[in-house]
Amino acid sequence: MYRFLLTPRWWGINVFVLLAIPFCIFMGSWQLGRFEDRVDDHRDAEARVASDKREAASPLEGLLPVTKATSGKQTTASGRYDTQLLVPDRKLDGKDGYYVLTLLRTDSGRALPVVRGWLPGAPDPAKVPAAPAGEVTVTGALQASETPGNNGVSARGGLPAGQTAAISGASLVNLVPYDVYDAWVTLNRGDSGMKAVPASAPGGTGLDLKAFQNLGYTAEWFAFVGFVVFMWFRLLRRELEFARDAELGLLPEEEQEEQEETRERERSSPSGV
């Protein structure tokens, strides 16, 4: 009854199944490994952010441009506060609010965006404490410029004057008449009673959409293993039912003739000897 397994068609099905299952297991394991690597990178990045805060601050110029290695490092810069902007749609401790961003004019001629702190509610310039006057020295965590639409950064446009969606040198240079560093700093202590904004891990090291895509692909590959096995048993069961019905003469005349022709070919083929 199982001689049909030796036919060319079933040889092809069996070879496909034997190749597909280990391939799917390999791909699923690889995607799972990618997800685990991203989880490890996320943990390492968070640990580095915490350890960097305990290190001595370095001059700004020595840490530029911002990379994964320098993001989160403690830095210091001196200058005078100038233009102040509000960054809406920023959460802290699960509450809605906004960042207070002030540009620090340095001796280099360029301005360093400094997040002086966070305030709850909708952006309101009347509630924002004024920036300190005169020469100041700031110390905080160095951060890379943000990209609108990534990692929760708002991409909406049409904001009122005095607001910006992303803390990015490319965006800020269009709002002020001087050059801006392609980086920003968040103060270790919130200025004038505002809450300090914690430093974030470098881009590409978090549990972002790509990480969960890897996890989704893992599930898909392992599900495909089950689908292949299920379809093989379903085809086998169907073939057995046809064979039993043929022996009992329960098949329609046309199908019975096809079965007899198939058996005749099996007998005459080398594999059917």
Side-chain angles (χ1 to χ4, degrees):
M1 184 176 295
Y2 290 92
R3 290 179 60 193
F4 62 83
L5 292 173
L6 300 178
T7 60
R9 181 169 72 92
W10 271 92
W11 268 107
I13 292 174
N14 293 335
V15 169
F16 170 78
V17 170
L18 291 176
L19 293 177
I21 290 177
F23 176 76
C24 292
I25 292 175
F26 168 79
M27 291 300 297
S29 301
W30 180 76
Q31 291 288 353
L32 182 59
R34 292 280 293 170
F35 174 74
E36 291 175 343
D37 289 342
R38 290 181 182 275
V39 171
D40 292 339
D41 286 346
H42 178 66
R43 289 174 179 168
D44 293 342
E46 288 187 332
R48 284 199 302 271
V49 168
S51 64
D52 288 342
K53 194 171 182 179
R54 295 190 293 269
E55 294 181 358
S58 301
L60 175 65
E61 296 293 344
L63 299 176
L64 298 176
V66 184
T67 63
K68 286 185 178 181
T70 60
S71 179
K73 292 288 186 182
Q74 290 291 298
T75 189
T76 182
S78 298
R80 293 175 178 270
Y81 280 125
D82 195 278
T83 306
Q84 185 159 278
L85 300 166
L86 306 183
V87 188
D89 303 325
R90 298 304 176 106
K91 288 182 177 292
L92 187 62
D93 298 332
K95 298 179 181 179
D96 295 327
Y98 56 97
Y99 293 170
V100 176
L101 175 70
T102 311
L103 298 181
L104 182 74
R105 299 288 302 274
T106 66
D107 293 338
S108 68
R110 288 191 288 177
L112 174 66
V114 177
V115 173
R116 296 171 50 226
W118 175 91
L119 290 173
D124 185 356
K127 296 180 180 179
V128 178
E135 187 80 10
V136 297
T137 298
V138 299
T139 301
L142 184 66
Q143 301 280 264
S145 287
E146 298 177 333
T147 301
N150 288 347
N151 298 325
V153 178
S154 175
R156 66 173 177 149
L159 292 174
Q163 294 187 24
T164 181
I167 308 173
S168 165
S171 300
L172 295 174
V173 76
N174 297 318
L175 302 177
V176 294
Y178 38 79
D179 291 335
V180 179
Y181 282 103
D182 190 23
W184 57 283
V185 168
T186 176
L187 298 183
N188 294 331
R189 294 183 179 180
D191 198 4
S192 302
M194 294 180 286
K195 282 191 175 182
V197 175
S200 59
T205 60
L207 295 179
D208 53 11
L209 179 60
K210 289 184 178 180
F212 289 103
Q213 281 180 339
N214 291 135
L215 190 60
Y217 294 149
T218 299
E220 288 180 1
W221 282 113
F222 286 123
F224 193 66
V225 172
F227 176 75
V228 170
V229 174
F230 168 76
M231 289 303 298
W232 186 87
F233 276 105
R234 183 174 181 181
L235 289 173
L236 177 67
R237 181 179 177 182
R238 182 183 177 188
E239 201 78 29
L240 287 173
E241 289 175 351
F242 271 115
R244 292 193 187 98
D245 290 346
E247 289 180 355
L248 297 174
L250 300 178
L251 290 176
E253 185 175 346
E254 294 180 357
E255 294 186 8
Q256 192 164 355
E257 291 177 357
E258 291 178 2
Q259 288 287 332
E260 291 176 356
E261 292 176 0
T262 301
R263 290 176 183 173
E264 190 63 31
R265 285 196 299 269
E266 291 175 0
R267 294 191 189 100
S268 61
S269 65
S271 60
V273 177

